[in-house]
Amino acid sequence: MVTRGGEPALPEACIRWCGSRSYEVDVLDDMAHVDLEWWNRHLRQHRIPVHLPGRTADGAWTSEGDAHLPRRDLRASASTLRRYGDPELVRLYLCLAWLAGTREVRRVRRFADVRALGVPSPLAPIRDGLAMFRREPALVDVGPHRTWSGWPQTPGVGPVPMSLYAWAVCDDGTAGCPQVVAQDGLSALVRHGWSEKPSIEGLTLTRYHRYCSVLERWARQAAVRPELVELWLVRSWQDRAPTLHDSVPRLMF
């Protein structure tokens, strides 16, 4: 169903589901399992000077063994993350690890090499790209360090983890905060009447903004957080087609 303006109408099922959920529990406490040994070994092999941390069972920070990573830790302060290297590179790899370890966004565990080889400073391009996510208004002004699609240049990293990074660096509660985009969520949104292409491949920044605007509008109408709307889209698609979970190609970073 679509509105008169041609945009998808808010489903009643979304209102009911989101109204029974908690932003603190279902979003911020959404826990991923992280194999720190695997991530840190690959970081060393690729000569990326950060060390990935996570949480022990009692909630303490650790950089060894198996750990847990709640989504709220993606917004950890720069002073906390600086203990493990460049804070924004640490944050980016936390986003990658969370995506690889959470059950809500289907990933395969593949290491993302953010170095730009063949340049004097291999990490300079990714640092320049990450800096653009902190500028105001975020992800809007067109300038240097952009790709053809409008996204900042982030070697080795695609729009899915960058959308999560954009959410992580946005102040909690800020209106218009970027939202995570995932293939399951896009597919569900198209099923409910969104007229955009359903594939994450070739997702331009313009289409991403339209996606976020639908989530924001639905969230206002349902009087909930847009993160819950995004989570409902992903879960509703997975619940509708559980057999597709293992049969469709899984997206890489």
Side-chain angles (χ1 to χ4, degrees):
M1 181 178 178
V2 296
T3 65
R4 289 184 178 181
E7 292 192 349
L10 172 63
E12 288 293 330
C14 180
I15 299 175
R16 292 193 300 270
W17 190 90
C18 293
S20 67
R21 300 291 171 163
S22 163
Y23 171 71
E24 289 286 329
V25 174
D26 292 273
V27 176
L28 295 185
D29 285 342
D30 191 1
M31 199 76 68
H33 174 265
V34 182
D35 181 350
L36 295 177
E37 182 180 350
W38 186 91
W39 284 94
N40 289 322
R41 181 174 70 251
H42 281 77
L43 286 165
R44 290 191 302 270
Q45 290 173 350
H46 289 80
R47 298 182 181 180
I48 298 172
V50 301
H51 205 61
L52 199 68
R55 297 279 188 176
T56 63
D58 61 4
W61 284 102
T62 182
S63 57
E64 298 178 351
D66 291 335
H68 299 285
L69 182 64
R71 184 168 168 177
R72 67 174 67 247
D73 278 350
L74 306 183
R75 284 178 164 165
S77 67
S79 60
T80 296
L81 300 183
R82 191 169 287 114
R83 290 179 288 177
Y84 306 98
D86 181 302
E88 295 316 311
L89 282 179
V90 175
R91 193 184 313 279
L92 174 59
Y93 275 100
L94 285 177
C95 290
L96 291 165
W98 186 86
L99 283 170
T102 182
R103 66 185 185 279
E104 304 305 345
V105 184
R106 290 180 292 115
R107 316 300 298 171
V108 292
R109 189 167 68 170
R110 170 183 175 271
F111 186 78
D113 186 356
V114 299
R115 297 171 301 166
L117 302 181
V119 297
S121 301
L123 292 174
I126 188 68
R127 288 190 172 110
D128 290 340
L130 294 180
M132 298 198 70
F133 286 87
R134 289 188 168 277
R135 296 181 182 175
E136 296 293 340
L139 294 182
V140 175
D141 289 339
V142 177
H145 313 299
R146 295 281 183 172
T147 66
W148 67 269
S149 64
W151 288 88
Q153 295 183 33
T154 51
V157 187
V160 176
M162 292 321 304
S163 68
L164 179 58
Y165 178 87
W167 175 86
V169 298
C170 182
D171 290 336
D172 194 16
T174 300
C177 229
Q179 298 300 318
V180 180
V181 61
Q183 182 61 66
D184 288 344
L186 279 184
S187 298
L189 196 57
V190 169
R191 184 167 68 90
H192 288 289
W194 200 44
S195 59
E196 298 281 346
K197 294 179 181 179
S199 176
I200 216 80
E201 295 181 5
L203 180 71
T204 65
L205 191 59
T206 299
R207 285 182 59 224
Y208 173 68
H209 279 303
R210 291 172 184 161
Y211 161 84
C212 289
S213 70
V214 173
L215 268 59
E216 286 282 347
R217 178 169 58 82
W218 283 10
R220 288 194 303 270
Q221 293 173 355
V224 297
R225 297 286 297 252
E227 290 88 347
L228 288 172
V229 174
E230 186 271 332
L231 191 56
W232 175 79
L233 284 169
V234 169
R235 289 189 174 183
S236 67
W237 183 260
Q238 294 175 354
D239 290 344
R240 173 179 175 270
T243 58
L244 294 179
H245 207 68
D246 295 321
S247 61
V248 297
R250 297 187 178 187
L251 294 171
M252 300 294 188
F253 289 131

